[in-house]
Amino acid sequence: MIIRILGEGQYDVADSALDELNALDAVVEAAVHAGDEAAFAPALEALVDGVRRLGSQHEVDSLDAYDLILPMADASLDEVRELLADDGLIPG
């Protein structure tokens, strides 16, 4: 799947990485629902870093559409709250 990180680019991420990303996403989701700013920032940074670590940069010249979009690592809790679906930023 192709995951776009706003302001940064797109990453190809294997389906085998989704369990780890969903675990990181669950921490972000819990922090957003609790309104816990202290837990939110490091959780979002860990999720974005997880996409960078587990994925590989998608070719810049490619016109492929992304499957998911993540906010920048420094997005605010309110910005992420607007992007959250029922099952977090990463479905599953």
Side-chain angles (χ1 to χ4, degrees):
M1 94 174 8
I2 299 172
I3 297 178
R4 179 178 177 205
I5 300 173
L6 286 175
E8 184 172 318
Q10 298 185 146
Y11 291 82
D12 294 312
V13 177
D15 289 345
S16 60
L18 292 180
D19 285 344
E20 185 174 342
L21 293 177
N22 274 318
L24 296 168
D25 186 35
V27 178
V28 172
E29 187 177 8
V32 169
H33 287 301
D36 186 346
E37 292 274 357
F40 166 75
L44 180 58
E45 187 172 324
L47 176 59
V48 171
D49 284 345
V51 171
R52 292 180 189 130
R53 177 174 44 83
L54 297 169
S56 58
Q57 285 222 292
H58 193 75
E59 289 186 39
V60 175
D61 295 339
S62 173
L63 298 175
D64 299 324
Y66 54 84
D67 300 297
L68 293 173
I69 189 164
L70 290 181
M72 295 180 283
D74 63 349
S76 72
L77 191 145
D78 288 335
E79 290 170 328
V80 172
R81 181 177 286 132
E82 291 178 14
L83 294 173
L84 276 179
D86 290 340
D87 55 355
L89 294 167
I90 298 177

